Short mmCIF file of all heavy atoms in Angstrom, two decimals:
data_model
loop_
_atom_site.label_atom_id
_atom_site.label_comp_id
_atom_site.label_asym_id
_atom_site.label_seq_id
_atom_site.Cartn_x
_atom_site.Cartn_y
_atom_site.Cartn_z
N GLN F 1269 124.78 104.35 108.65
CA GLN F 1269 125.98 104.55 109.48
C GLN F 1269 127.17 103.76 108.92
O GLN F 1269 127.88 103.07 109.62
CB GLN F 1269 125.71 104.17 110.93
CG GLN F 1269 124.67 105.06 111.61
CD GLN F 1269 124.42 104.73 113.05
OE1 GLN F 1269 124.78 103.66 113.55
NE2 GLN F 1269 123.82 105.65 113.78
N ASP F 1270 127.34 103.90 107.58
CA ASP F 1270 128.49 103.31 106.86
C ASP F 1270 128.52 101.79 106.91
O ASP F 1270 129.60 101.18 106.75
CB ASP F 1270 129.80 103.88 107.37
CG ASP F 1270 129.94 105.37 107.14
OD1 ASP F 1270 129.40 105.85 106.15
OD2 ASP F 1270 130.58 106.06 107.97
N ARG F 1271 127.37 101.16 107.11
CA ARG F 1271 127.29 99.69 107.08
C ARG F 1271 126.12 99.28 106.22
O ARG F 1271 125.13 100.00 106.10
CB ARG F 1271 127.12 99.11 108.49
CG ARG F 1271 128.11 99.60 109.52
CD ARG F 1271 129.53 99.20 109.23
NE ARG F 1271 129.78 97.78 109.45
CZ ARG F 1271 130.96 97.22 109.33
NH1 ARG F 1271 132.01 97.96 108.98
NH2 ARG F 1271 131.13 95.93 109.55
N PRO F 1272 126.16 98.09 105.60
CA PRO F 1272 125.01 97.62 104.82
C PRO F 1272 123.75 97.54 105.68
O PRO F 1272 123.80 97.15 106.86
CB PRO F 1272 125.44 96.23 104.34
CG PRO F 1272 126.93 96.28 104.36
CD PRO F 1272 127.28 97.15 105.53
N CYS F 1273 122.63 97.92 105.09
CA CYS F 1273 121.34 97.91 105.83
C CYS F 1273 120.23 97.50 104.87
O CYS F 1273 120.08 98.06 103.79
CB CYS F 1273 121.06 99.31 106.38
SG CYS F 1273 119.41 99.48 107.10
N GLU F 1274 119.45 96.50 105.27
CA GLU F 1274 118.32 96.04 104.48
C GLU F 1274 117.00 96.16 105.24
O GLU F 1274 116.04 95.44 104.98
CB GLU F 1274 118.54 94.60 104.03
CG GLU F 1274 119.78 94.42 103.16
CD GLU F 1274 119.96 93.00 102.65
OE1 GLU F 1274 118.98 92.22 102.65
OE2 GLU F 1274 121.09 92.65 102.29
N ALA F 1275 116.95 97.11 106.18
CA ALA F 1275 115.79 97.23 107.06
C ALA F 1275 114.49 97.53 106.30
O ALA F 1275 113.40 97.17 106.76
CB ALA F 1275 116.04 98.31 108.11
N CYS F 1276 114.61 98.19 105.15
CA CYS F 1276 113.42 98.60 104.40
C CYS F 1276 113.07 97.68 103.23
O CYS F 1276 112.02 97.83 102.60
CB CYS F 1276 113.56 100.04 103.87
SG CYS F 1276 113.47 101.29 105.18
N VAL F 1277 113.94 96.73 102.92
CA VAL F 1277 113.73 95.88 101.77
C VAL F 1277 112.46 95.03 101.98
O VAL F 1277 112.32 94.34 103.00
CB VAL F 1277 114.92 94.96 101.50
CG1 VAL F 1277 114.63 94.01 100.33
CG2 VAL F 1277 116.18 95.80 101.20
N GLY F 1278 111.53 95.10 101.02
CA GLY F 1278 110.31 94.31 101.09
C GLY F 1278 109.18 94.95 101.86
O GLY F 1278 108.05 94.46 101.85
N ARG F 1279 109.44 96.07 102.54
CA ARG F 1279 108.39 96.75 103.30
C ARG F 1279 107.61 97.69 102.39
O ARG F 1279 108.18 98.48 101.63
CB ARG F 1279 109.01 97.58 104.44
CG ARG F 1279 109.59 96.77 105.57
CD ARG F 1279 110.23 97.69 106.59
NE ARG F 1279 110.75 96.97 107.74
CZ ARG F 1279 110.10 96.90 108.91
NH1 ARG F 1279 108.93 97.50 109.06
NH2 ARG F 1279 110.61 96.25 109.93
N ARG F 1280 106.29 97.62 102.48
CA ARG F 1280 105.46 98.53 101.68
C ARG F 1280 105.64 99.97 102.13
O ARG F 1280 105.62 100.90 101.33
CB ARG F 1280 103.98 98.13 101.77
CG ARG F 1280 103.67 96.82 101.07
CD ARG F 1280 102.18 96.49 101.09
NE ARG F 1280 101.90 95.27 100.36
CZ ARG F 1280 101.71 95.20 99.04
NH1 ARG F 1280 101.75 96.31 98.33
NH2 ARG F 1280 101.47 94.06 98.44
N VAL F 1281 105.79 100.15 103.43
CA VAL F 1281 106.04 101.49 103.99
C VAL F 1281 107.42 101.46 104.63
O VAL F 1281 107.71 100.64 105.49
CB VAL F 1281 104.97 101.86 105.03
CG1 VAL F 1281 105.25 103.27 105.56
CG2 VAL F 1281 103.57 101.79 104.44
N LYS F 1282 108.28 102.37 104.20
CA LYS F 1282 109.69 102.37 104.61
C LYS F 1282 109.87 103.11 105.93
O LYS F 1282 110.63 104.09 106.05
CB LYS F 1282 110.57 102.96 103.53
CG LYS F 1282 110.31 102.45 102.12
CD LYS F 1282 110.56 100.95 102.00
CE LYS F 1282 110.44 100.47 100.55
NZ LYS F 1282 110.60 99.03 100.42
N LEU F 1283 109.21 102.64 107.00
CA LEU F 1283 109.22 103.33 108.28
C LEU F 1283 110.60 103.38 108.93
O LEU F 1283 110.96 104.40 109.55
CB LEU F 1283 108.22 102.68 109.24
CG LEU F 1283 106.75 103.01 108.98
CD1 LEU F 1283 105.87 102.28 109.98
CD2 LEU F 1283 106.51 104.52 109.03
N PRO F 1284 111.43 102.31 108.83
CA PRO F 1284 112.77 102.43 109.45
C PRO F 1284 113.55 103.63 108.93
O PRO F 1284 114.22 104.32 109.71
CB PRO F 1284 113.44 101.11 109.07
CG PRO F 1284 112.29 100.14 108.93
CD PRO F 1284 111.19 100.96 108.30
N ALA F 1285 113.48 103.87 107.63
CA ALA F 1285 114.21 105.01 107.06
C ALA F 1285 113.66 106.33 107.56
O ALA F 1285 114.41 107.28 107.84
CB ALA F 1285 114.14 104.98 105.53
N VAL F 1286 112.34 106.43 107.69
CA VAL F 1286 111.72 107.68 108.18
C VAL F 1286 112.14 107.95 109.62
O VAL F 1286 112.52 109.06 109.98
CB VAL F 1286 110.19 107.59 108.07
CG1 VAL F 1286 109.54 108.86 108.65
CG2 VAL F 1286 109.74 107.43 106.60
N LYS F 1287 112.11 106.92 110.43
CA LYS F 1287 112.50 107.07 111.85
C LYS F 1287 113.96 107.51 111.96
O LYS F 1287 114.31 108.30 112.85
CB LYS F 1287 112.27 105.77 112.59
CG LYS F 1287 110.79 105.39 112.76
CD LYS F 1287 110.65 104.06 113.45
CE LYS F 1287 109.18 103.67 113.61
NZ LYS F 1287 109.04 102.32 114.23
N ARG F 1288 114.79 107.03 111.08
CA ARG F 1288 116.24 107.33 111.15
C ARG F 1288 116.61 108.61 110.40
O ARG F 1288 117.77 109.00 110.38
CB ARG F 1288 117.04 106.17 110.58
CG ARG F 1288 116.91 104.88 111.37
CD ARG F 1288 117.53 103.73 110.58
NE ARG F 1288 117.54 102.49 111.35
CZ ARG F 1288 117.91 101.31 110.86
NH1 ARG F 1288 118.32 101.22 109.58
NH2 ARG F 1288 117.92 100.23 111.61
N ARG F 1289 115.64 109.21 109.71
CA ARG F 1289 115.92 110.40 108.87
C ARG F 1289 116.99 110.12 107.84
O ARG F 1289 117.95 110.90 107.66
CB ARG F 1289 116.34 111.59 109.76
CG ARG F 1289 115.32 112.02 110.80
CD ARG F 1289 115.87 113.18 111.62
NE ARG F 1289 114.87 113.76 112.51
CZ ARG F 1289 114.66 113.32 113.75
NH1 ARG F 1289 115.37 112.33 114.23
NH2 ARG F 1289 113.72 113.90 114.50
N CYS F 1290 116.89 109.00 107.14
CA CYS F 1290 117.96 108.57 106.25
C CYS F 1290 118.19 109.48 105.06
O CYS F 1290 119.32 109.66 104.61
CB CYS F 1290 117.66 107.14 105.76
SG CYS F 1290 117.84 105.87 107.01
N TYR F 1291 117.14 110.08 104.51
CA TYR F 1291 117.25 110.86 103.26
C TYR F 1291 117.51 112.32 103.62
O TYR F 1291 116.66 113.01 104.20
CB TYR F 1291 115.98 110.71 102.44
CG TYR F 1291 116.04 111.31 101.05
CD1 TYR F 1291 117.01 110.92 100.14
CD2 TYR F 1291 115.10 112.26 100.65
CE1 TYR F 1291 117.05 111.45 98.87
CE2 TYR F 1291 115.14 112.81 99.39
CZ TYR F 1291 116.12 112.41 98.50
OH TYR F 1291 116.17 112.95 97.24
N HIS F 1292 118.70 112.81 103.29
CA HIS F 1292 119.11 114.19 103.56
C HIS F 1292 119.00 114.54 105.05
O HIS F 1292 118.78 115.72 105.39
CB HIS F 1292 118.29 115.18 102.73
CG HIS F 1292 118.57 115.09 101.25
ND1 HIS F 1292 119.83 114.99 100.73
CD2 HIS F 1292 117.71 115.09 100.19
CE1 HIS F 1292 119.76 114.92 99.42
NE2 HIS F 1292 118.49 114.98 99.07
N ALA F 1293 119.12 113.53 105.93
CA ALA F 1293 119.06 113.75 107.38
C ALA F 1293 117.79 114.48 107.80
O ALA F 1293 117.78 115.23 108.78
CB ALA F 1293 120.30 114.51 107.86
N SER F 1294 116.71 114.28 107.05
CA SER F 1294 115.45 114.98 107.30
C SER F 1294 114.31 113.99 107.35
O SER F 1294 114.12 113.19 106.42
CB SER F 1294 115.20 116.00 106.19
OG SER F 1294 113.86 116.42 106.18
N ARG F 1295 113.52 114.05 108.42
CA ARG F 1295 112.37 113.16 108.50
C ARG F 1295 111.32 113.51 107.45
O ARG F 1295 110.72 112.63 106.84
CB ARG F 1295 111.74 113.24 109.91
CG ARG F 1295 110.57 112.29 110.11
CD ARG F 1295 110.24 112.11 111.57
NE ARG F 1295 111.29 111.33 112.23
CZ ARG F 1295 111.41 111.20 113.55
NH1 ARG F 1295 110.57 111.82 114.35
NH2 ARG F 1295 112.38 110.47 114.06
N ALA F 1296 111.13 114.82 107.18
CA ALA F 1296 110.16 115.23 106.20
C ALA F 1296 110.56 114.78 104.79
O ALA F 1296 109.74 114.25 104.02
CB ALA F 1296 109.96 116.74 106.22
N ALA F 1297 111.84 114.98 104.45
CA ALA F 1297 112.32 114.57 103.12
C ALA F 1297 112.27 113.06 102.96
O ALA F 1297 111.88 112.54 101.91
CB ALA F 1297 113.75 115.07 102.91
N THR F 1298 112.63 112.34 104.02
CA THR F 1298 112.58 110.87 103.96
C THR F 1298 111.14 110.40 103.82
O THR F 1298 110.85 109.46 103.08
CB THR F 1298 113.22 110.25 105.21
OG1 THR F 1298 114.53 110.80 105.40
CG2 THR F 1298 113.35 108.75 105.06
N ALA F 1299 110.22 111.05 104.54
CA ALA F 1299 108.81 110.67 104.46
C ALA F 1299 108.27 110.90 103.04
O ALA F 1299 107.47 110.12 102.53
CB ALA F 1299 107.99 111.46 105.47
N ALA F 1300 108.70 111.98 102.39
CA ALA F 1300 108.24 112.24 101.02
C ALA F 1300 108.74 111.14 100.08
O ALA F 1300 107.98 110.65 99.23
CB ALA F 1300 108.74 113.61 100.56
N MET F 1301 110.02 110.77 100.21
CA MET F 1301 110.55 109.73 99.34
C MET F 1301 109.88 108.38 99.65
O MET F 1301 109.49 107.64 98.73
CB MET F 1301 112.06 109.62 99.52
CG MET F 1301 112.73 108.60 98.61
SD MET F 1301 112.53 108.98 96.85
CE MET F 1301 113.65 110.37 96.71
N ALA F 1302 109.73 108.06 100.94
CA ALA F 1302 109.08 106.80 101.31
C ALA F 1302 107.64 106.78 100.84
O ALA F 1302 107.15 105.75 100.37
CB ALA F 1302 109.15 106.62 102.82
N GLY F 1303 106.95 107.93 100.95
CA GLY F 1303 105.57 108.00 100.49
C GLY F 1303 105.46 107.81 98.99
O GLY F 1303 104.54 107.14 98.50
N SER F 1304 106.42 108.35 98.25
CA SER F 1304 106.43 108.14 96.80
C SER F 1304 106.58 106.67 96.46
O SER F 1304 105.86 106.15 95.60
CB SER F 1304 107.57 108.95 96.17
OG SER F 1304 107.67 108.70 94.80
N LEU F 1305 107.51 105.99 97.13
CA LEU F 1305 107.71 104.57 96.87
C LEU F 1305 106.46 103.76 97.18
O LEU F 1305 106.08 102.85 96.42
CB LEU F 1305 108.90 104.05 97.67
CG LEU F 1305 110.27 104.64 97.30
CD1 LEU F 1305 111.34 104.20 98.30
CD2 LEU F 1305 110.67 104.23 95.90
N THR F 1306 105.82 104.07 98.29
CA THR F 1306 104.59 103.33 98.67
C THR F 1306 103.48 103.59 97.67
O THR F 1306 102.78 102.66 97.23
CB THR F 1306 104.16 103.76 100.08
OG1 THR F 1306 105.17 103.46 101.01
CG2 THR F 1306 102.87 103.05 100.50
N LEU F 1307 103.27 104.86 97.30
CA LEU F 1307 102.21 105.22 96.37
C LEU F 1307 102.40 104.55 95.02
O LEU F 1307 101.47 103.96 94.46
CB LEU F 1307 102.15 106.73 96.20
CG LEU F 1307 101.20 107.27 95.13
CD1 LEU F 1307 99.78 106.95 95.50
CD2 LEU F 1307 101.40 108.78 94.95
#
């Protein structure tokens, strides 16, 4: 929301981003990216 955010830094699973649909405003797309980072 146009402000700095470090909610996912250091987390093995980036759940805050998934909940907020950060990537392309899509929960599925965000989950795919977050899953890639975790894997």
Side-chain angles (χ1 to χ4, degrees):
Q1269 296 183 343
D1270 296 328
R1271 309 296 288 184
C1273 172
E1274 299 183 19
C1276 288
V1277 177
R1279 289 177 177 260
R1280 291 184 177 275
V1281 181
K1282 312 298 186 183
L1283 284 179
V1286 177
K1287 292 177 180 177
R1288 295 169 175 174
R1289 299 179 173 90
C1290 288
Y1291 188 57
H1292 292 317
S1294 164
R1295 182 163 290 168
T1298 308
M1301 183 62 73
S1304 176
L1305 294 172
T1306 299
L1307 173 65

